[in-house]
Amino acid sequence: MSDADTDDEAQDGEIAVEEMDLDELRREIRDIDREIVELIAQRTYVAESIAAVKREEGRPTTDEDQEQAVMDRAGENAERFDVDSNLVKAVFRLLIELNKVEQRESR
C-alpha cells in the first residue's frame, strides 16, 4: 500500500467520522479503546517472552540502546500520523517502565 493509498483512506475516514452522530462517535472511541488495550496486552506478552529470554541468557533487564530505539520509532510514528510526539513518547516511556518492573519482579 502506498502513502497515497493511506492518505486516501485517512481522508475517507475523516469524511465518515464527520457524518457520525455523537453516539456513533462514542462507539467508535469505545472500539478504538478496546483495540488499544488489546495491543497493550499483546505487547506485554511479547515483553514477558523477552524477559524470559534475558533470564535464560543472563542478560540485564535494562537495555538502554533498545529503549532508545523504541523511543525513536515512537517519535517517527507520531510524526507519520501527525500525533503529538511528546504524548506518544510519554505513553511509550510508561509502557517500557511497566515492562521493566515486570521483568525485575519475575527474576
Side-chain angles (χ1 to χ4, degrees):
M1 181 182 305
S2 72
D3 286 340
D5 292 338
T6 305
D7 291 342
D8 290 344
E9 288 174 10
Q11 289 176 345
D12 291 344
E14 289 172 11
I15 293 168
V17 168
E18 290 173 0
E19 295 173 1
M20 294 176 149
D21 68 19
L22 184 58
D23 288 336
E24 291 170 324
L25 290 166
R26 286 180 173 158
R27 277 192 297 277
E28 184 75 12
I29 288 289
R30 192 168 45 245
D31 290 345
I32 292 167
D33 289 348
R34 183 197 52 76
E35 290 175 27
I36 290 170
V37 172
E38 182 179 356
L39 291 171
I40 290 170
Q42 289 174 3
R43 189 182 196 286
T44 300
Y45 174 77
V46 173
E48 288 169 356
S49 298
I50 290 170
V53 169
K54 285 180 177 180
R55 273 193 308 276
E56 290 172 11
E57 296 180 357
R59 292 182 183 217
T61 301
T62 301
D63 182 341
E64 291 180 14
D65 290 338
Q66 181 60 26
E67 289 177 26
Q68 187 59 52
V70 169
M71 296 304 290
D72 291 345
R73 279 194 313 267
E76 290 166 8
N77 284 323
E79 289 177 18
R80 179 174 176 221
F81 291 102
D82 195 29
V83 179
D84 184 292
S85 181
N86 290 325
L87 173 63
V88 170
K89 287 180 179 183
V91 169
F92 274 85
R93 264 189 226 97
L94 180 58
L95 290 171
I96 289 168
E97 287 306 313
L98 290 172
N99 291 144
K100 285 171 32 177
V101 167
E102 288 179 13
Q103 285 182 27
R104 281 192 290 269
E105 290 175 353
S106 67
R107 284 193 176 251

